[in-house]
Amino acid sequence: MRYWLVLLFFLGAMDNFGQQQIPDFDFNPAIDSPKYSKKTTALIGVDASHNNLHKLGGGFEPFAKLLRSDGYQLSPVTKVTPDVLNSLNTLVIVNPLHESNVGNWKRPIKNAFTEDEIQTIKDWVTDGGSLMVIADHMPYAGAAQSLANAFDFEYRDGFVMSENEAWPPETYSKRNGTLNKTVATQNIDSIAGFTGSGLIAPKDAIIIASFPESHKLFLPEVAWQFEEHTKIKDTKNLSMGAIMRVGKGKVAFFTEAAMFTAQIVKGKIKVGFNSPEAPQNMHFVLNVMHWLDSGRTQKIEDQQSREMQIVKRLLDRQANYYESNEMIKVAKCYTIDAIFYEPTGREIIGIKSIIAYWERIKGAAVSWETEIQDVEEIGDQVLAICQFKLKYMRGEKVVIAKSKAMLTFKKEAGEYKIFRDFYMPIN
């Protein structure tokens, strides 16, 4: 009974930690010799279409920073289709969840992927794509089960934790036999994990790490609710992660997400890349991504052209509306929740106010010129630095207004619109 009371206290504390866990946005990795140069890159897609706990711009932003510093480019995947996957070098899926289990971490845990999505991913991998799936403790391992099964992997949807009442991390090391010598662990002595699920890998897979003898698999009916009748199993045949070739492609399956990113718990506890107990985790992640990398590179300018096209298409349309004095259409190039920041500091908030702003010069517009100076995709948004020259009539005089603006674009109803508009006048 003492053991269970201590365990319940410990797990309750962990649940608290989970609720107060945020990405470490101050984490800034530096790589002296990036894999990719300024001319070539490889595009990594990070799933954002399955209620994922970890996405770009959020929980997996430190992962993105690490990969960008290595020369990769990353993009959110909002829909799994052949066209989307064919543009990628590697697809990364982290902690997916079926919509019925969002906020409802109670069994049964439903599969997050449709049969068509699973077949699309499998066909793409077999034809040369690379896939990494990270499914954490319950309910995420259960949500990824069908996708894992398609590649003959199997998740154990529970909690793999130490029985010795110790706070993570788990240390996987070559010295104690829990970390194997593989392509993913070259020049690495140990890595750290922070509580996840368990994985059964097929015979053709390369096991990267196994759990220490002190760890057991706990299978509660409700996540984080551990009782005396909660099922407990050993972890003898379970692994922390494994990699495998599939047809022309490659897959990697892992059981814990924090070790692939950097987070702060309760405002002070560092978990992941930033943890003092995990000095080699970044190197490990790069090893894994380099192995997955199929070698299909893209020219950086080709990747940027997609983002450039998003910005150019919208701003060209906005300019045409302006020159036709269709100010409501100019305003509707903004999202419903957009904010327009004036140089005075005044904020014009929401589409109704933005329509009123542009309507003030209806009938006076003359011309609109745009110079797009830089674009970049950050998470699920596109950032653009632009210079504008607008002409309009003030009485009988033509006035020229020049400005430099920082714009962010996001999707609304399937198309990109201006989400934030911050501008300053220039001489």
Side-chain angles (χ1 to χ4, degrees):
M1 181 60 71
R2 175 187 171 278
Y3 165 75
W4 279 104
L5 289 174
V6 173
L7 180 62
L8 288 169
F9 174 80
F10 163 64
L11 293 172
M14 283 194 65
D15 194 20
N16 248 353
F17 288 170
Q19 294 173 12
Q20 301 178 48
Q21 182 172 292
I22 62 172
D24 184 354
F25 289 114
D26 291 330
F27 169 78
N28 287 302
I31 296 178
D32 294 333
S33 300
K35 176 173 182 179
Y36 287 102
S37 68
K38 294 181 179 180
K39 293 183 178 180
T40 61
T41 188
L43 183 61
I44 298 173
V46 179
D47 185 34
S49 59
H50 296 94
N51 305 297
N52 307 74
L53 176 66
H54 288 55
K55 295 183 287 189
L56 296 178
F60 237 47
E61 189 58 25
F63 169 89
K65 284 185 176 182
L66 175 64
L67 270 294
R68 289 188 188 113
S69 69
D70 200 32
Y72 288 89
Q73 290 197 359
L74 291 91
S75 174
V77 173
T78 56
K79 191 173 183 180
V80 174
T81 66
D83 286 345
V84 170
L85 296 187
N86 287 337
S87 70
L88 304 177
N89 183 297
T90 304
L91 173 64
V92 176
I93 300 172
V94 192
N95 284 350
L97 199 61
H98 188 274
E99 59 182 8
S100 66
N101 289 120
V102 175
N104 175 34
W105 292 10
K106 179 180 180 180
R107 300 187 194 278
I109 304 302
K110 294 187 178 181
N111 172 39
F113 300 86
T114 67
E115 291 183 5
D116 285 346
E117 287 176 326
I118 292 172
Q119 190 61 54
T120 295
I121 293 171
K122 187 173 182 180
D123 290 345
W124 173 71
V125 169
T126 303
D127 197 39
S130 293
L131 170 70
M132 180 165 74
V133 178
I134 305 171
D136 224 317
H137 55 66
M138 176 190 178
Y140 303 108
Q145 188 69 272
S146 294
L147 179 59
N149 291 164
F151 296 95
D152 297 325
F153 287 81
E154 184 177 347
Y155 278 109
R156 287 289 184 261
D157 190 27
F159 294 75
V160 174
M161 299 181 296
S162 171
E163 282 192 303
N164 62 13
E165 304 168 10
W167 165 252
E170 294 87 40
T171 299
Y172 306 96
S173 74
K174 291 177 179 176
R175 174 179 288 184
N176 66 23
T178 55
L179 186 67
N180 297 327
K181 293 181 179 180
T182 70
V183 65
T185 58
Q186 287 182 355
N187 302 315
I188 291 175
D189 300 314
S190 67
I191 55 177
F194 302 85
T195 302
S197 61
L199 180 71
I200 296 177
K203 63 179 182 179
D204 293 334
I206 299 171
I207 305 298
I208 292 174
S210 302
F211 298 107
E213 292 182 2
S214 60
H215 283 53
K216 299 294 182 183
L217 172 66
F218 294 81
L219 297 165
E221 288 300 308
V222 181
W224 295 114
Q225 292 187 18
F226 297 85
E227 303 170 351
E228 290 198 31
H229 62 267
T230 296
K231 293 179 181 179
I232 306 175
K233 297 186 177 182
D234 65 45
T235 58
K236 184 177 180 180
N237 296 317
L238 300 182
S239 64
M240 178 277 289
I243 58 177
M244 187 174 73
R245 293 182 180 273
V246 178
K248 298 178 182 178
K250 300 173 183 177
V251 297
F253 285 86
F254 293 98
T255 60
E256 200 271 315
M259 66 187 297
F260 286 84
T261 183
Q263 300 180 7
I264 298 176
V265 178
K266 298 194 79 173
K268 58 183 179 181
I269 301 173
K270 294 183 176 181
V271 175
F273 298 153
N274 53 0
S275 170
E277 286 85 11
Q280 294 184 302
N281 276 39
M282 283 193 297
H283 187 177
F284 168 71
V285 171
L286 290 176
N287 279 355
V288 172
M289 298 309 296
H290 291 172
W291 179 82
L292 282 170
D293 195 330
S294 61
R296 292 180 301 173
T297 61
Q298 299 94 11
K299 291 181 180 179
I300 286 180
E301 52 265 33
D302 290 342
Q303 288 302 311
Q304 290 178 336
S305 66
R306 187 186 75 85
E307 296 138 17
M308 183 69 76
Q309 288 171 10
I310 289 170
V311 175
K312 189 175 186 303
R313 188 180 301 119
L314 180 63
L315 295 182
D316 283 350
R317 188 165 74 243
Q318 195 174 35
N320 289 334
Y321 292 148
Y322 177 86
E323 292 174 353
S324 300
N325 274 285
E326 298 178 274
M327 295 305 164
I328 292 178
K329 289 184 177 180
V330 170
K332 287 189 175 181
C333 291
Y334 293 80
T335 63
I336 291 174
D337 58 346
I339 301 178
F340 196 116
Y341 300 92
E342 288 196 313
T344 59
R346 185 169 75 101
E347 297 178 358
I348 302 168
I349 302 173
I351 190 64
K352 289 184 179 179
S353 298
I354 292 173
I355 288 173
Y357 173 90
W358 284 103
E359 281 277 86
R360 293 181 308 169
I361 56 173
K362 184 175 181 179
V366 177
S367 65
W368 171 313
E369 296 178 23
T370 304
E371 178 189 341
I372 303 171
Q373 297 179 336
D374 195 16
V375 296
E376 182 179 356
E377 189 165 39
I378 301 177
D380 60 353
Q381 297 180 18
V382 175
L383 172 68
I385 306 298
C386 304
Q387 191 163 305
F388 297 99
K389 184 169 76 171
L390 274 65
K391 293 182 180 180
Y392 61 93
M393 299 298 298
R394 181 181 291 167
E396 296 183 356
K397 184 179 180 181
V398 176
V399 177
I400 299 175
K402 294 182 180 180
S403 64
K404 192 161 188 175
M406 181 173 71
L407 309 173
T408 60
F409 301 75
K410 74 172 184 178
K411 277 189 175 180
E412 181 180 85
E415 65 173 334
Y416 280 94
K417 294 185 177 182
I418 301 169
F419 176 49
R420 296 289 185 264
D421 185 340
F422 176 84
Y423 81 96
M424 293 293 292
I426 58 176
N427 294 327

